[in-house]
Amino acid sequence: MTVEADAGLAGALTEARRRYADANPRSSAAFESACADMPGGNTRTVLFHEPFPLRIQRGSGARLWDVDGHQYVDFLGDFTAGLFGHSEPAIGEALRRALDGGLALSGHNTLEARLARGICARFPSIDLIRFTNSGTEANLLALALAVAVTGRRGVLVFDGAYHGSLLAFAGGGAVTNVPHDWIVGTYNDQAGTDALFDRRGPELAAVLVEPMLGSGGCVPGDPEFLRLLRRRTLECGALLVFDEVMTSRLAPGGRQAELSIRADLTTLGKYFGGGSSFGAFGGRADVMSAFDPRRPDALTHAGTFNNNVLTMSAGLAALDVLTPAAMAELNARGDRLRTRLTDLAAGLPMRFTGLGSLMTVHFTDLPVRNGADVAAADQGLKELLYFDLLNAGIYTARRGMSALSLPVGDAECDAMISAVAEFIDRRHALLRTHSRSSAHSL
Ligand code: PMP
């Protein structure tokens, strides 16, 4: 970007942040107050952005209202956990039923095995399943299991991937990650990954991979890349763990079923709890049965809330609502929206990547195929789009992600298209001066 364009973008951002701050005095005050008791007023890092994040008052259907009274179309869907919107009647009813039956029942309840059966029936690779409270925990357990059953310590992951709070690999890996022997490869790099297997294969307990980098920018894994992982893990005796916490919404058996790849273990989370905290890991019977407490050498997997009745009840209702037909319609709607957005951005350094109901915008005219490509795109334009969309009543993630929920219909998609068209119109000069050779982050 030229010096003039840089100055133009910096000025536009200052103005957008000021407009945002002026429009949201109550959110600002709530943030200041929360900072007294929580570091940065925050208990969920992804929600923070400058100058302060919005405080949401309530939600209904596909709508959100903030504490300053603005209404938004929710195009974020709680980073994919809110697939059912904010007030799906069957889920509300299931939660009320659970409340009526009493909380914290001190034993097995009548719901957990039914939910297990419902999920196993959808995923051909999941013979046996166990529940956790989050996707993070599901991945932690899957890796611990892989280490225990293989007797090896290495875990191959990919730069830019996000597998949970203690399993974050943007920029190579967070200092707070759990201490496995990480080997960090390049997503979608078949030759490089092949070479990694040649050298390190015998050390590997597991390969942990998202079939599409989700939080990392909605970057689909090439089918051939994912098949390579299947072939090479079988050869070297490592377990292939598919993190389908996000991608499981793409088809009844997840992206693995679409690609006919059978993972050894699969991790789930997000929407399966119908909006309640949820996680699960499951897969091959011979591997998962290491947790069978009838075995004298059984591994332990405890968790006070693993079978909590609110999640189990909401999860059962969620499975009923999310029929294969409803899933197909949701993802077809997302595909149509992404195509329309891509058409709008034709000729501009602005790309919409993703699959089905999941998408992320990247301000670059270069292909986006891995974590480094995502990091190299322009972050300032992304921030500007975020504020301009909020101003137009469209709620997305600050990092440019959208995840459609079931109540998002044609009218909502049209509103998104108009808002992005207006952004392109208004910011045309800035977008035009963004050149491929000097893209950088503000
Ligand atoms: N894996 C993936 C692919 C995710 O997107 C996430 C959450 N963004 C997680 C794991 C972690 O899930 P949770 O936030 O429930 O711990």
Side-chain angles (χ1 to χ4, degrees), residues 69 84 95 346 417 429:
F84 302 93
L95 285 168
I417 291 288

Side-chain angles (χ1 to χ4, degrees), residues 79 133-137 139 162-165 210 215 243 245-246 270 278:
F79 297 83
N133 296 281
S134 67
T136 301
E137 223 186 314
N139 281 318
Y162 182 80
H163 300 288
S165 190
E210 295 170 84
S215 301
D243 177 345
V245 165
M246 280 197 180
K270 306 278 193 195
F278 179 84

Side-chain angles (χ1 to χ4, degrees), residues 303-320:
T304 304
F305 294 111
N306 289 351
N307 66 339
N308 81 83
V309 289
L310 290 173
T311 295
M312 297 296 117
S313 188
L316 275 168
L319 271 186
D320 282 346

Side-chain angles (χ1 to χ4, degrees), residues 130 288-301:
R130 278 184 162 247
M288 286 299 292
S289 58
F291 285 112
D292 183 338
R294 295 169 301 186
R295 279 170 56 158
D297 60 345
L299 303 176
T300 53
H301 162 229

Side-chain angles (χ1 to χ4, degrees), residues 44 46 78-81 133-139 161-167 208-216 243-247 267-270 277-279 399 401:
R44 188 179 176 191
V46 71
D78 206 9
F79 297 83
T80 76
N133 296 281
S134 67
T136 301
E137 223 186 314
N139 281 318
Y162 182 80
H163 300 288
S165 190
L166 308 166
L167 299 159
L208 175 61
V209 65
E210 295 170 84
M212 173 180 77
L213 293 181
S215 301
D243 177 345
E244 297 241 33
V245 165
M246 280 197 180
T247 53
T267 56
L268 303 171
K270 306 278 193 195
S277 53
F278 179 84
R399 65 165 181 248
M401 183 182 182

Side-chain angles (χ1 to χ4, degrees), residues 31-47:
F31 172 69
E32 291 301 328
S33 165
C35 285
D37 305 296
M38 292 187 280
N42 180 286
T43 189
R44 188 179 176 191
T45 300
V46 71
L47 299 182

